[in-house]
Amino acid sequence: MTMTEQSYFNTKFYSLLTIVFIFLLFISNMAEMKIVNFFGVAQIGAGTIFFPLLYVFNDIITEVYGFSASRRTIWLALFFNLSFSLLMYLIILLPEGDEWIEKEAFNTIFMLSPRIMAGSLISYFLGELINATIISSLKLKFKGQLFAIRAIFSTFVSSFIESILFGI
């Protein structure tokens, strides 16, 4: 495989991982509005079910493509998350059609979006950067070995910090 083919191959998968990462962030934020019974143990936002997958994808991107690629993905996801929330807020402000009967439900759901987005933006951004920093630093320290342990540790620490920040 030539260098050009290898570069294209790597870029293609980086792009796919980034798209899935952004998709999971959107799904997590939208699903967080629904409270579900989690096996009779707790009542949680449904987004909590998908959110840990963001850390898995961030760990993979950081491990394979490096810290700067991970930061790029985090910034892209932040940009699209912010854009989506702002556009949905502007859509809410548009005058409704007279015959539209779901306006109350629509507004109730999507008026939560800016609040969730604000908490999510801060906690997500810091949590993901902490995660990428930890896994990248540990990669150097352990000379690329023990990925599973590094991923679990970085995810545990950063998701704990992110949960605290989101709850504030």
Side-chain angles (χ1 to χ4, degrees):
M1 186 179 325
T2 68
M3 187 62 156
T4 306
E5 290 170 337
Q6 187 177 10
S7 179
Y8 172 75
F9 183 76
N10 288 339
T11 303
K12 183 171 74 170
F13 285 106
Y14 168 73
S15 298
L16 179 62
L17 289 169
T18 298
I19 289 167
V20 172
F21 185 91
I22 293 169
F23 174 75
L24 286 170
L25 180 62
F26 278 28
I27 291 298
S28 296
N29 286 342
M30 295 279 73
E32 192 62 24
M33 293 182 229
K34 179 172 181 170
I35 305 300
V36 296
N37 183 345
F38 191 69
F39 300 109
V41 177
Q43 304 288 313
I44 62 170
T48 307
I49 297 167
F50 300 102
F51 202 75
L53 293 173
L54 287 168
Y55 287 106
V56 172
F57 277 86
N58 189 2
D59 289 346
I60 292 168
I61 291 168
T62 304
E63 182 71 13
V64 175
Y65 300 103
F67 184 69
S68 61
S70 177
R71 266 197 339 245
R72 191 174 328 122
T73 299
I74 292 166
W75 278 106
L76 281 169
L78 184 68
F79 170 76
F80 285 113
N81 191 23
L82 180 60
S83 299
F84 174 81
S85 295
L86 291 174
L87 290 172
M88 289 309 298
Y89 185 72
L90 291 175
I91 289 168
I92 290 168
L93 297 177
L94 293 173
E96 291 98 1
D98 294 333
E99 296 181 26
W100 189 43
I101 58 172
E102 288 86 12
K103 60 184 162 191
E104 291 301 318
F106 183 87
N107 289 345
T108 299
I109 298 272
F110 287 105
M111 281 304 287
L112 290 174
S113 183
R115 286 184 234 149
I116 289 173
M117 186 264 312
S120 171
L121 285 177
I122 294 167
S123 62
Y124 151 80
F125 186 70
L126 293 175
E128 291 295 342
L129 282 178
I130 290 167
N131 184 56
T133 302
I134 291 172
I135 198 159
S136 186
S137 298
L138 290 176
K139 182 177 183 178
L140 294 174
K141 182 175 176 79
F142 293 113
K143 298 178 181 150
Q145 301 295 313
L146 306 171
F147 172 73
I149 293 170
R150 291 183 287 119
I152 291 168
F153 179 74
S154 67
T155 298
F156 176 77
V157 171
S158 53
S159 64
F160 179 73
I161 292 169
E162 185 166 352
S163 295
I164 290 171
L165 290 172
F166 186 75
I168 292 177

